[in-house]
Amino acid sequence: ARALGRGVTARGEVLMRDSDGTPRLRFTLRDCLPVRIRGAALNAREGVLALEEMQIAYRAFTVEPA
């Protein structure tokens, strides 16, 4: 039996919007999985913007108008 979470891929979508929030492009990812996730420590007292980063590996992707 496979270990939980091993060998499992998914389909994903990334929607790009313009400065008004209107959807412009759609990236559809096939057979993808996250390979790295990084986030900032949350501290409400500092009042800074928290940025997160995710790297995704994929077998193929398509790009189309949204």
Side-chain angles (χ1 to χ4, degrees), residues 4-63:
L4 184 62
R6 302 265 176 169
V8 177
T9 60
R11 178 182 170 274
E13 290 186 355
V14 177
L15 187 62
M16 290 184 66
R17 299 174 184 264
D18 64 15
S19 60
D20 295 327
T22 304
R24 293 296 179 186
L25 286 176
R26 179 184 317 273
F27 294 82
T28 302
L29 309 170
R30 262 190 11 241
D31 296 335
C32 63
L33 60 112
V35 293
R36 182 177 181 198
I37 298 174
R38 186 169 69 176
L42 299 177
N43 185 340
R45 285 185 268 174
E46 291 180 13
V48 298
L49 182 66
L51 297 177
E52 298 174 339
E53 175 184 333
M54 180 186 297
Q55 292 180 3
I56 301 173
Y58 55 87
R59 183 173 309 278
F61 75 94
T62 58
V63 181

